[in-house]
Amino acid sequence: MPSHKIVVCGGGGFIGGHLVADLLRQGKKVRSVDVKPFEEWFQMFPEAENLQLDLQDKENCERAVADVDLVYNLAADMGGMGFIENNKALCMLSVLTNTHMLMAARDKGVERFFYSSSACVYNGEKQTNPDVVALKESDAYPALPEDGYGWEKLFSERMCRHFEEDYGLECRVARYHNVYGPLGTWTGGREKAPAAICRKVIEAKHSGSNQIEIWGDGKQTRSFMYIDDCTLGTRKIAESEIHEPLNLGSDELVTINQLVDIVEEIAGVKLKRNYNLSAPKGVNGRNSDNTLIQEKLNWAPSVRLREGLALTYAWIENEMLASKLLVGAAK
């Protein structure tokens, strides 16, 4: 498809920043939009047109999509399980962003619209066992998604579908499964499990405490997708002729305990584990069934967890050392 100009909404965030970088490397003309002040953007590129706009406002959405052919809508209030379980209304307000973006794209003649959905749309009753059967795209119905954030994502998927049916706006949807990597959030409450575990192991190693708190019993299972797989998969899905939502995630299933094992190995430590059973832990099991994406695109995420975590751990440790947040860092 032709793409004379592309807008990345949420371009100041973790995934959005990596996507902007990837598109610029492809020689694309990119506009990057985010609600955060410029100094809070995860990455900023002078080659892009950078705008600070609140995309819950329809007029700002019209400004964001003016003269663009392709929209990547990654803008949303979100974070790890601790954030989404305690901010359900805030997460659901993101429905304003996607609705107004769709309306603006329709009115301004945008050719194609990509929406970043989430594995949180899947029926919770299919995720009660750590030995989960990998979730295929049809498992989103009958609908019983994650309360708050998951409902917003599922509703917005439907909105994309109906804008395509009723107005001819070409829409593509990817359901992201636990994206991690360098330049992501690793502290402050919005971080996800890989970054949180890396930070906790680094703190324990440098402080000499030799112990770590784990949310839940550590037996809950997940798959985690490295950021490079996410950006490549996002572009592939956006540029494809696949109209239904697709899983975009690794199918390498691990327990949270196994995730800690890998990070401990990278750090060269073995820590005492303290399990916080009252902390948010999400569903008991979730994994990505990649049958459909392999069939449709002849591709699926392939970066192994050990490889991606080593890169992520090194980046977070450097950030913590530079921020002087480590006790006993000189040891």
Side-chain angles (χ1 to χ4, degrees), residues 6-62:
I6 296 168
V7 61
V8 177
C9 303
F14 166 48
I15 301 175
H18 279 279
L19 180 60
V20 170
D22 191 42
L23 291 167
L24 289 171
R25 284 192 293 268
Q26 304 296 319
K28 306 296 185 182
K29 188 175 181 182
V30 181
R31 175 181 295 151
S32 182
V33 181
D34 205 284
V35 69
K36 295 185 289 293
F38 288 145
E39 61 270 17
E40 295 179 14
W41 285 29
F42 287 49
Q43 299 184 71
M44 179 179 281
F45 304 92
E47 314 95 284
E49 178 190 0
N50 300 301
L51 299 177
Q52 182 194 349
L53 297 172
D54 182 353
L55 296 177
Q56 290 191 11
D57 182 90
K58 186 171 180 290
E59 289 185 2
N60 287 337
C61 293
E62 291 171 348

Side-chain angles (χ1 to χ4, degrees), residues 131 136 207:
D131 298 321
K136 55 185 182 293
S207 69

Side-chain angles (χ1 to χ4, degrees), residues 24 29 82 88 99 117 120 127 141 147 166 168-169 206 215 229 234 245 251 258 263 267 276 279 292 297:
L24 289 171
K29 188 175 181 182
K88 293 184 176 71
T99 301
S117 187
C120 289
Q127 303 170 78
Y141 297 95
D147 199 11
D166 293 356
L169 175 61
H206 284 275
W215 287 8
D229 276 338
T234 293
D251 59 4
Q258 289 171 328
V263 179
N276 183 349
L292 192 57
L297 297 179

Side-chain angles (χ1 to χ4, degrees), residues 51-83:
L51 299 177
Q52 182 194 349
L53 297 172
D54 182 353
L55 296 177
Q56 290 191 11
D57 182 90
K58 186 171 180 290
E59 289 185 2
N60 287 337
C61 293
E62 291 171 348
R63 182 179 172 191
V65 304
D67 303 316
V68 305
D69 304 295
L70 172 60
V71 171
Y72 285 95
N73 184 19
L74 279 63
D77 252 318
M78 59 84 65
M81 189 52 58
F83 178 81

Side-chain angles (χ1 to χ4, degrees), residues 239-260:
E239 295 166 5
S240 76
E241 294 308 311
I242 303 160
H243 296 261
E244 67 262 38
L246 280 180
N247 277 334
L248 184 52
S250 169
D251 59 4
E252 182 185 355
L253 187 70
V254 294
T255 66
I256 297 301
N257 279 327
Q258 289 171 328
L259 176 65
V260 177

Side-chain angles (χ1 to χ4, degrees), residues 218-242:
K219 297 176 183 178
Q220 61 269 40
T221 53
R222 295 290 186 278
S223 65
F224 300 98
M225 175 173 54
Y226 190 63
I227 184 62
D228 290 357
D229 276 338
C230 180
T231 53
L232 177 57
T234 293
R235 284 198 298 107
K236 283 179 174 289
I237 291 170
E239 295 166 5
S240 76
E241 294 308 311
I242 303 160

Side-chain angles (χ1 to χ4, degrees), residues 180-182 193-195 197-198 224 226 252 254 258-264 266 303-316:
Y180 75 98
I197 295 300
C198 285
F224 300 98
Y226 190 63
E252 182 185 355
V254 294
Q258 289 171 328
L259 176 65
V260 177
D261 289 341
I262 296 171
V263 179
E264 286 179 336
I266 292 167
V303 176
R304 302 298 294 175
L305 184 57
R306 175 64 172 75
E307 177 187 350
L309 279 175
L311 297 168
T312 305
Y313 180 96
W315 180 80
I316 292 175

